[in-house]
Each structure stands twice: as structure tokens, then as C-alpha cells.
Amino acid sequence: MAYVALDLETTGLNPETDEIIEVGAIRFDETGVLDTYHTLVNPDRHLEYRIEMLTGIPNADLAGAPHFGSVALEVESFIGMDALVGQNPAFDLAFLARKGVQTFGPAYDTYELAGLLLPDLREHSLAAIADHLRVTFVDRHRALADAEAAMRVFVALRQRLLDSPPDVIAEAERLAGASDWPLRHLFREAAALRPRGPGDGEREGVVHGFVRTPGHAGEGPSLSKLRVVTQPDEPARMMTSGVARAAIEGFEERPQQVEMARAVAEAIAEGGQLLVEAGTGVGKSLAYLVPSMLHASRNGARTVVSTNTINLQEQLIAQDIPVARRLLAEAGIGEEALRVAQLKGRRNYVCLLRWAAARRAGMLPADEARMLVRLLFWFGHTETGDRAELNLRRDDDAAWGRLAAHEGNCLSMQCAYVRDGSCFLFRAKKRAEAAHVLVVNHALLLSDVATGGNVLPEYQHLVVDEAHHLEEEATDQFGFSASESEVRDWLEALHVRVGRDREGGLAGSVLQATRASQQAVGAGPQLQKLARVLAKSAGQAREAAPAFFLRLQTFGQQHSSASGDYEDRIMITRGIRVQPDWADVEAQWYELEERLAEAAGIVDEVRAMLSQVNPTDVLDREALLAETSELCEAGERLREGLSRIIGHEDRDTICWLTLGRRGGAPSLASAPLSVAEKLRDELFNPKESAVLTSATLTTEGSFRYIRHRLGLEDARELALGSPFDFRSSTLILAPEDMPEPDQPGYAAAVQSALIELVTASEGRALALFTSHSALNTAYRGVKRPLEEQQILVLAQGVDGSAKQLLSTLRESPRTLVLGAASFWEGVDISGEALSLLVITRLPFSVPSDPVFQARAELFDEPFEQYALPQAILRFKQGFGRLIRRKTDRGVVVVLDRRLRSRAYGEAFLRSLPACTLREVPLRELQGETSAWLAVTSEARTT
């Protein structure tokens, strides 16, 4: 069997508008390389600096190269009928097809193959896969070198496939063969080379053929009858004595960390709530973990630690908790006395019941076959069933969603996988129940509140890290939103026609599950009849839905004030509800609601009948019953949520209509006017202690704003500054002649300033924007001038994901990254790779946002009491991107004149650490930046 490894270098990512600039190909088989092909290609255009830098191909080398038309037949002939191998070969094939080159063999994607066979690998770029497999890969982003790397990676992965258990290979070949997925040919080849023998399915350490045997979670912590109080000074002593030096490599004593640990220990011992602002470098994670873990281990009390981001959760599990364990071990508390677990939302765990049912399907879509096979190989490695281990792409979400654990009572002991303990969600719940310290995210924490405590095991103590996000997350969790696509998705989950002769959705599943029944009477025929009725009802509702959303869109367009390039949010107030055309919206909704209610009623009938039939009479009855229960609950949430928005006015609820850009698809949403009371009464007060911490909780040194937003009026408070010397490390520049954001010339001044500043810093820069529109305008204005100076300019939403952009900034310092919302926090680049931070505009909320607008009306002084503190907290988060380590040094430039021209600007500055501040003309920004950063360069050279 011969293969051809192929790679193209191109001027960009769009085959319709970009050109090929290099082709590299290698024909090979099991014995080695058979032939090679390489050529540069003249694209008849000047390469952007970004492409020139990425590939190392200068424009001069392309001038004398052939045009692709003259080599197209050579390329097609070289590939021939052989299987194509590459990293994301669909990209290369799209460019070849655009140029008229035909390929006939299957295409094997090394990215996909690595995802199957290296499930523990966190990154699946060609370089990362090559490094993991110890494949030499030096001249990256050159076509022939990339093709060679893809070849060597493929050979190594193919061998791994052949080394897999024969029963796994056989099942992969069967599943892939039920689809048009190109890798089915490779699995067929592997199955022929490694045929399954009589005893190959009987492997030790697995259940249900492929899943690792579950381990014992341990017994849950038992509350001690005699409370053992941890003295506040005990964790403090552990962090200052030889214990810490013995447990932590490179230990550095931090007075602020010790003070925080003491305060957390006091809160746990005495009860109540504590707010702690801990500046960058304090080490707050260890400061709350050590006292929490001490108390939990001694008293059998459970502490829940909640974070907003996955990154911080992973950091806690992988780094901070092991360090805290070592501290406790030095103090004589062994690992057996303290169990730690992480729990995520249900849909993060694969459902074995759904997986088993999907395996028995006839024909499969390629994405579902890919997911089933990926899980098949993964089951031999995973103990958690957590999707985070799989490094899935967004394109995989739909396939994962069909196989993930679902809402409802899916942990019923009627499920065989729950009964034998192999269910991954059941395992996760058991580990959570056995844990002294349970790490969750804000969404799961708040869904536990929303469901009355049905999500998390009982716990006595709570730590909320990244607490500045809690109100926003509570607004989402306690709110509701729905669009036409969500209504359509629910209806298609009830019934959809797939192709000419196949039916999908619940109705299709019921028909397929009951076809084996030969009885003339009984459950089978009754269920089949009900499935037909459900299919008809879902179809009628699907026909009614567009009319309602079209009416909603028309109403929105008539009452919209936004320009075409922005989405518009229209608050549904009493004034809106008395408009004559709102009655038309209501009338159209009642018609759709009647159809939805009818379909939901039939689903409930299916559920009732399934719950009564003999499991042997209906194939995969348990999976069907679980799916039906979930659809019942999802339909009720959807119908009730829309009905509350359209037909009911509630002064404690904010409702709004969103129109997409240019009057596009509408959606409806609602949110509580305030979450403070619910958080206070249902989250904080029932706990013995609650500690909320973040680097940004105060404005101008006061916790007043966050107390009010979260219902923590009686909480104790502690504000800890950073141990870093910001006055000597950080220069803040405020240009005195900068136009204000609403004045003519502001956008041009931003671009001019960026060019001069980034030239002075030689890249190493991040610019933060409050809107994508402003970001894109600046990107177009600064890209060419800076890239002419060989400084790469990358923009969020244009040049790749946030992860890719930040990785480039770390690896290639002569880079400017332009970022919006998600870049204001969570960016952690230490050292000189980030030396310049530009904040283009003070981050005030959009005044017309319905949630902001409604909540602002609750204040006597809405700007001073609500808008300003909210903007200051975001500003502090953005400022915190620059100085991440004690040795960091850099410049922050605020290109918003209001920082100095308005009285409230001082509030922003007073909320920051004491830095060196200079107000200078725009023309002096470049010199000031160069001079400040030169100190860093001098220190490095000496």
C-alpha cells in the first residue's frame, strides 16, 4: 500500500481568494520513501509580511517560480490514485480542487488520527504530535519539510493503530465502515493485518468490552461530632516555616499570602462571609486551599472551590492542590485523610448508554462515526469520561452532544451502567460525594442553587475564586434565552427526515427500536403508532415556528434604533407591550405554543409507555427512556421560558428581544433584575463559611460595589496589595492631547499612537479594545505600516483563536496582538514577550444593553454607583495583563483622554497599584516608551 504525504503553503486560508506558493509531496510505503516532489509557485501577488515570516519564503524567490497552471498536471500525476496523508488535508485539497487538480484516493488526516490514538495529548498540531512521537521536525511551515513530518507522524500513528487490541480495531472498522469517513479505509487495512481471534474480546481491566474497570471512589467524609478548630496562625506558620521550604521548590515567603491564609482560617473557624481582594503575585490559591484543606481533613467537612474559568480549575487540580498537599504532608496529614475531586456539568461526561445505542445504528454520519471511534480508543485510557481529555474542536460539539450525559434522572439505578458503576457521570458524582475538597465552576455552582441543591453533594464551606464574575454567571444561570434555531433543534430532536428513507429524532429511534417486535398487539405497535403521531405533530410545530419568529423580527425592525452593522437589543417594557403590533406577536406565539404543547404531550405519552414496557420488548429501551425524559424537560423549559417573556410582565425580570446584525435572526431572553437576594439566601447564608476572592473586587479601595451586587452586606473584608513594586516596574502614559472617543479624529489618533508605540517597543505588545468594530478599524490602519517594519500584526477574530495569537506573541516577540472582550483577562504572558499594554478606551458598558439599563435604574446615582465601579473592575482586569511576575517590567498606555479630562478618571487611577504616571503629548509617547523599556534591555545585557 502506497501513500502520498502532501503539504501546500499558501498566501492565506481562503481557496477562493488566496494562492498556492509552494507544493511538497512524498510517496512512501512500509519500506520507506519512494519518490519526492517539490516546487515553489508564483502567486502573482506580493506576500504579506505575516506569510513571509511564517514560511520563511521571501518574495524574491517566488518571482521566477512557475505559475501553478504549468505544474498542475505534475502534481495530479504525482498523487495518482494513492491515499493522501497530511495535517488537515481538506485544506490542501480545497486549494487543489480550486485549481482543477483531481485526487482519487482517500485522505488521511494526521490530526484526526492523533486525536484517536493519542487521547492524552493536549495539543494536536503537527509540531506537537511530532514532538510527542519524537519525530524530527526542524524546518516548519515549509511544504516539503511539513510533508516529511506528516509522513513520519503517519507511519508512527499507523503502527500505534496496528498495536491496538484486535477487538478494538475490528469495532473501529465496523463503525467507520457504516459511514463515508475517509479513515474507514485505513481501519479496513488494519483489520486485515490484525484479524480478531477467538479470545481477543476478553481483556482484563475492562468492562462492556472496552471501558476501563472503575476504581473505588472511597467513602464520603463524615462530619466530626467534636469540631476541631484550626487556629488561624497554623496555616500561616506552615507558609513561613521550614515546612513550606521543604514542600515548595523555590519557595518565597509572601506576607500578603500569609495574611490571607490567616483571614480564611478565621472565617472557617468563626463562620460567616469574607471578601478578599488579592493583587497579582499574592498566591491566593494556596492561601485559601491550605486552611480549607486543614479544616476539611480534621472535621470531615466538605469545601467547594468554584472558579469561573477552566484554566484556573486545571491549575488548581494540576499545580496548586498538589503543592498544598505537600504542605499538609509535611504537617503530618496524609493523602488518605484528604480526598480532592473535580466535578463538571453533565454534558462534559460521555454517556455509555447513548454510546452503546449509537453503536447499533445502521448508517452513520461521518462526524458521528468519527466520534464513536474516537471514544472507542479513548475508553481504554480514561477514568473520568470527561470531554476535556479529548481536546475536541467546535465542529465536534454536535456529535459529542448526541453522546453526552443528559439532563433529567439519568442516574436512575434502572440503567445497567449505573448499576455496575461504569457510568462516568455516576463515577464523577461518587468521587464528588467522597471528596473533602470539590472543585467546580461557577455555572455548576449556580445550577445547584437553581435546582435547589440537586447538583452538588452537601457542603459546609465555600470558596469562590474569580468572584468578580459571579453576578454575570448568576444572571446567565438564573435567566433564559431562545432563538428559532433552538426551537427547531428541539423539534428535530423529536422527528426529522434523514435522506429519502430514513427517519431520525425520537420518533425515528422509537420506530427502529420496535421494528423487531413481531407482536400484532402490545407495546411495539402502540409505540410505532405514537411515533407516527409524534412525527406529524413535530412537523406541524416546525411549520408554525418560522411565522412566529418572522413576526418577532418584523416587530424588532420597526422598533430598532441600531445601525445595520451591530446586533440590537430591545428591552421589552410595559411601553413595548402596549404597542399595537405586540398583540400580533402574542397572537402568533399562542398559535406556536399550542403546537409545542401538543408535541410535548405526545412525548410525555411516549415516556409513560416506555416506562411500563418490558425492557426486552424494545431495543435500547433505557436509552430511549432517558432521551424521552430529557426531551420532555427541555420542551417544558423552552415553552415556559418563551411564554413568560411574551405573555407575562414581571417587574423583577428583565426581558429583551435581540436582532442579529442588519436586522437578522431574532432571539428572546430574560434575566433576573437582581441576583443579590437569591445568592445571599440560597448560596451564602446556608453555608458555615463563604470566602470570595479575586484580584479585582474593590473600586478606589472600597468593596461597596461588590457587596451590593452579590448580597454580602455583612461580609468581612480584606484588601491585599500586590507584593510587586509597580512604581519601578510599570509606567502609565496618558496622552494629554488625545481626542476623546466621541470626537472626530479619535480612531486616526489611536492608529497613529499604536504605530509609534509598537515601533518603540519593537512589538511585544497587546492592545485592548471595547468593540470588535473599533478593533477591526485599527487593524486595517496599522497592519501595513507595522509589517513594513517587520512587526507582525494579529487581530482577534481575523488571524486565529486567542490561544494561537498569544502563542505567536510568546514565540515571536516582534508582534502586536489586537484583542477585545476575552483578552481583558486570563492572558498570562510573563517576561519581555509582553512589554507594552495599550488600553484604547475605558471599558464602560453599552448604555442600551437591557440588563445594564434595567439595573442602572435601581440606583439614585446610576453612573457613580453602578456604571463607574463596573468599568473600573474591568479596567483593573485589563491592567493586570502586563505585570505577571516579580521581574516583569513594561508600559501601559491609556488612549482615552477621559482618564484625565473627566473627574471620574481619577477613580480609575486610584484603583490601580501605585505606578509611575506621566501625562505627555502624543508626540512624546514613542520616546517615553523607548526610554522606559531600555532599562529592561540594559539590565538584560548586564
Side-chain angles (χ1 to χ4, degrees):
M1 180 72 181
Y3 313 88
V4 173
L6 174 74
D7 186 76
L8 306 179
E9 300 300 330
T10 63
T11 61
L13 304 179
N14 188 343
E16 298 296 323
T17 57
D18 288 302
E19 296 291 338
I20 298 168
I21 58 174
E22 187 178 28
V23 181
I26 304 174
R27 177 174 287 103
F28 64 99
D29 63 11
E30 290 183 339
T31 65
V33 174
L34 302 175
D35 198 3
T36 62
Y37 179 87
H38 172 258
T39 183
L40 291 174
V41 178
N42 187 341
D44 271 339
R45 67 175 66 176
H46 189 81
L47 290 189
E48 288 186 12
Y49 172 69
R50 177 172 62 90
I51 303 299
E52 205 174 359
M53 189 187 80
L54 182 70
T55 62
I57 302 173
N59 276 286
D61 287 2
L62 298 178
H67 291 85
F68 190 83
S70 64
V71 299
L73 289 177
E74 294 177 5
V75 173
E76 185 172 281
S77 175
F78 188 88
I79 296 171
M81 304 292 289
D82 294 328
L84 203 66
V85 170
Q87 181 82 354
N88 186 22
F91 173 86
D92 304 286
L93 289 173
F95 272 88
L96 292 179
R98 185 76 176 83
K99 295 296 184 182
V101 173
Q102 290 185 296
T103 58
F104 302 95
Y108 299 153
D109 188 347
T110 49
Y111 178 98
E112 278 190 341
L113 203 51
L116 300 176
L117 302 172
L118 304 174
D120 298 331
L121 188 61
R122 300 297 297 174
E123 185 182 347
H124 291 154
S125 67
L126 182 59
I129 302 168
D131 289 344
H132 180 80
L133 296 173
R134 298 182 180 177
V135 169
T136 303
F137 186 17
V138 179
D139 196 8
R140 300 176 184 186
H141 300 297
R142 288 303 300 266
L144 195 58
D146 284 4
E148 182 179 3
M151 174 191 72
R152 297 188 184 281
V153 161
F154 173 77
V155 169
L157 290 173
R158 180 178 177 274
Q159 188 57 52
R160 290 213 173 201
L161 173 61
L162 293 174
D163 290 341
S164 300
D167 60 317
V168 173
I169 296 174
E171 179 66 4
E173 192 251 343
R174 187 187 71 81
L175 290 170
S179 74
D180 60 355
W181 184 26
L183 279 180
R184 69 187 186 277
H185 302 287
L186 184 63
F187 294 128
R188 187 180 304 135
E189 178 187 336
L193 293 171
R194 288 288 309 277
R196 179 175 177 173
D200 282 331
E202 302 171 5
R203 289 181 285 123
E204 289 187 14
V206 298
V207 292
H208 306 296
F210 307 105
V211 182
R212 289 183 70 172
T213 304
H216 182 57
E219 299 300 323
S222 300
L223 275 171
S224 173
K225 292 182 180 179
L226 295 174
R227 182 183 173 92
V228 180
V229 177
T230 299
Q231 296 301 318
D233 283 337
E234 186 176 358
R237 283 196 304 272
M238 292 173 65
M239 293 180 173
T240 57
S241 66
V243 171
R245 290 182 176 82
I248 306 171
E249 185 179 349
F251 171 76
E252 183 179 308
E253 187 176 324
R254 308 175 201 180
Q256 295 90 344
Q257 186 182 56
V258 173
E259 188 177 353
M260 180 175 172
R262 184 181 287 110
V264 172
E266 285 178 354
I268 293 172
E270 298 173 10
Q273 293 121 26
L274 171 68
L275 286 163
V276 184
E277 180 175 83
T280 306
V282 166
K284 57 183 168 59
S285 300
L286 210 56
Y288 62 68
L289 284 172
V290 171
S292 297
M293 293 165 76
L294 270 172
H295 180 83
S297 63
R298 288 170 173 168
N299 293 278
R302 182 179 289 111
T303 295
V304 166
V305 178
S306 180
T307 76
N308 188 61
T309 60
I310 294 175
N311 285 345
L312 183 52
Q313 280 190 58
E314 299 301 332
Q315 177 188 312
L316 289 174
I317 295 294
Q319 300 175 32
D320 298 326
I321 288 175
V323 169
R325 278 192 183 280
R326 290 199 293 272
L327 274 173
L328 268 61
E330 291 290 331
I333 297 175
E335 193 161 321
E336 285 301 313
L338 183 70
R339 290 183 292 275
V340 177
Q342 183 179 16
L343 184 64
K344 298 182 180 179
R346 290 169 174 262
R347 293 184 180 276
N348 287 281
Y349 302 96
V350 66
C351 174
L352 292 174
L353 189 65
R354 287 185 163 193
W355 183 74
R359 284 173 59 203
R360 288 190 282 270
M363 292 300 295
L364 292 168
D367 66 329
E368 195 161 321
R370 183 189 305 116
M371 184 60 69
L372 289 170
V373 174
R374 189 165 187 176
L375 298 181
L376 174 70
F377 284 97
W378 179 51
F379 284 153
H381 300 264
T382 185
E383 294 182 354
T384 68
D386 181 355
R387 68 168 285 166
E389 295 179 6
L390 288 172
N391 194 28
L392 298 180
R393 294 183 286 191
R394 187 173 298 176
D395 293 347
D396 299 316
D397 285 349
W400 172 267
R402 292 191 288 271
L403 300 171
H406 39 73
E407 304 299 329
N409 188 27
C410 74
L411 292 183
S412 164
M413 292 303 292
Q414 296 176 11
C415 174
Y417 301 99
V418 174
R419 286 199 303 271
D420 68 14
S422 60
C423 167
F424 289 113
L425 178 59
F426 179 75
R427 294 193 212 182
K429 291 278 190 180
K430 285 297 181 185
R431 285 193 296 269
E433 291 167 3
H436 296 87
V437 176
L438 179 61
V439 179
V440 302
N441 64 15
H442 293 352
L444 195 65
L445 176 75
L446 294 165
S447 67
D448 184 60
V449 175
T451 58
N454 291 327
V455 176
L456 302 180
E458 184 180 355
Y459 62 100
Q460 295 75 39
H461 303 278
L462 171 66
V463 176
V464 180
D465 203 339
E466 301 179 306
H468 61 285
H469 280 294
L470 195 63
E471 182 188 18
E472 181 183 2
E473 188 59 49
T475 300
D476 289 343
Q477 289 297 317
F478 303 155
F480 168 85
S481 66
S483 64
E484 183 177 1
S485 64
E486 285 162 305
V487 173
R488 184 175 60 249
D489 288 347
W490 182 71
L491 292 170
E492 288 183 353
L494 303 187
H495 177 263
V496 65
R497 188 162 293 281
V498 184
R500 186 174 298 175
D501 55 357
R502 184 181 170 211
E503 294 180 275
L506 177 63
S509 298
V510 170
L511 290 170
Q512 184 175 345
T514 54
R515 279 193 181 119
S517 175
Q518 299 300 316
Q519 298 175 335
V521 294
Q526 290 179 23
L527 279 168
Q528 288 182 1
K529 182 178 179 181
L530 206 52
R532 294 294 181 197
V533 174
L534 176 60
K536 181 179 178 182
S537 177
Q540 290 172 339
R542 197 157 48 239
E543 289 173 4
F548 164 68
F549 283 99
L550 179 60
R551 173 63 63 187
L552 198 61
Q553 183 178 23
T554 301
F555 176 88
Q557 290 169 344
Q558 290 171 347
H559 295 270
S560 174
S561 59
S563 63
D565 289 335
Y566 298 92
E567 73 171 24
D568 188 20
R569 292 184 173 187
I570 303 165
M571 192 186 301
I572 303 173
T573 61
R574 178 174 296 179
I576 286 288
R577 293 179 188 276
V578 298
Q579 296 297 317
D581 46 354
W582 183 254
D584 297 333
V585 172
E586 289 181 326
Q588 205 73 57
W589 161 246
Y590 295 140
E591 184 175 333
L592 174 59
E593 184 183 30
E594 185 178 348
R595 299 294 188 186
L596 294 175
E598 179 184 305
I602 299 168
V603 176
D604 201 35
E605 288 184 54
V606 174
R607 176 171 62 174
M609 189 173 293
L610 282 171
S611 65
Q612 295 170 4
V613 301
N614 190 318
T616 59
D617 290 345
V618 177
L619 185 66
D620 295 322
R621 188 203 74 147
E622 291 172 350
L624 270 178
L625 186 57
E627 181 182 356
T628 308
S629 298
E630 180 187 8
L631 287 170
C632 279
E633 293 177 16
E636 181 60 25
R637 282 196 305 272
L638 193 64
R639 193 163 57 90
E640 183 179 333
L642 286 169
S643 184
R644 284 183 178 276
I645 293 171
I646 295 165
H648 300 86
E649 184 180 354
D650 180 359
R651 64 181 182 179
D652 294 325
T653 303
I654 310 162
C655 300
W656 67 94
L657 161 65
T658 299
L659 286 182
R661 294 175 59 187
R662 297 180 177 86
S667 63
L668 289 166
S670 64
L673 183 59
S674 172
V675 298
E677 185 176 342
K678 190 175 183 72
L679 291 176
R680 181 189 65 224
D681 296 343
E682 300 181 33
L683 179 61
F684 302 131
N685 284 352
K687 307 307 169 197
E688 291 183 26
S689 72
V691 176
L692 291 88
T693 185
S694 168
T696 53
L697 290 180
T698 67
T699 60
E700 298 187 81
S702 171
F703 286 92
R704 188 183 304 111
Y705 172 77
I706 206 74
R707 280 178 179 277
H708 179 72
R709 304 313 305 158
L710 299 181
L712 292 168
E713 304 297 350
D714 299 324
R716 285 167 285 182
E717 59 188 44
L718 175 64
L720 298 169
S722 170
F724 300 162
D725 181 2
F726 279 88
R727 196 177 295 279
S728 64
S729 69
T730 309
L731 171 65
I732 299 178
L733 292 175
E736 61 190 10
D737 51 349
M738 184 78 189
E740 291 195 3
D742 60 351
Q743 293 177 341
Y746 170 73
V750 167
Q751 295 168 32
S752 176
L754 276 174
I755 292 167
E756 293 192 6
L757 287 164
V758 176
T759 299
S761 66
E762 299 179 356
R764 303 180 291 165
L766 171 64
L768 298 177
F769 293 80
T770 57
S771 77
H772 284 278
S773 174
L775 183 153
N776 290 331
T777 298
Y779 177 67
R780 291 190 295 268
V782 307
K783 182 177 176 63
R784 176 169 290 182
L786 285 173
E787 293 195 346
E788 285 175 353
Q789 300 179 59
Q790 297 187 328
I791 295 174
L792 183 61
V793 179
L794 302 175
Q796 180 185 3
V798 179
D799 297 309
S801 67
K803 183 178 179 181
Q804 291 169 330
L805 268 55
L806 295 173
S807 176
T808 301
L809 182 59
R810 288 188 186 95
E811 297 169 5
S812 306
R814 291 185 66 84
T815 298
L816 164 65
V817 171
L818 310 179
S822 61
F823 280 77
W824 282 77
E825 58 182 294
V827 174
D828 190 353
I829 300 178
S830 60
E832 293 184 12
L834 180 56
S835 299
L836 172 66
L837 175 72
V838 181
I839 296 176
T840 59
R841 188 169 182 162
L842 298 178
F844 287 104
S845 292
V846 179
S848 60
D849 177 79
V851 175
F852 176 86
Q853 188 178 340
R855 289 177 175 172
E857 291 174 358
L858 298 174
F859 294 87
D860 295 329
E861 301 286 346
F863 180 79
E864 288 79 5
Q865 294 174 299
Y866 184 55
L868 181 59
Q870 190 181 76
I872 288 173
L873 291 182
R874 290 178 186 154
F875 183 76
K876 289 174 68 175
Q877 281 290 331
F879 173 86
R881 298 316 94 214
L882 183 64
I883 305 298
R884 306 301 300 168
R885 305 292 184 271
K886 193 173 184 178
T887 55
D888 289 352
R889 181 180 173 84
V891 178
V892 177
V893 183
V894 183
L895 296 178
D896 192 331
R897 178 72 188 121
R898 294 174 297 176
L899 188 71
R900 305 299 286 161
S901 67
R902 305 294 176 91
Y904 60 74
E906 287 296 325
F908 286 89
L909 293 172
R910 286 194 297 268
S911 299
L912 298 180
C915 304
T916 298
L917 171 67
R918 293 175 190 164
E919 189 174 6
V920 298
L922 281 164
R923 66 178 183 275
E924 294 182 16
L925 290 179
Q926 189 172 41
E928 291 282 354
T929 301
S930 296
W932 188 267
L933 296 181
V935 175
T936 309
S937 301
E938 289 171 10
R940 184 177 68 247
T941 56
T942 56

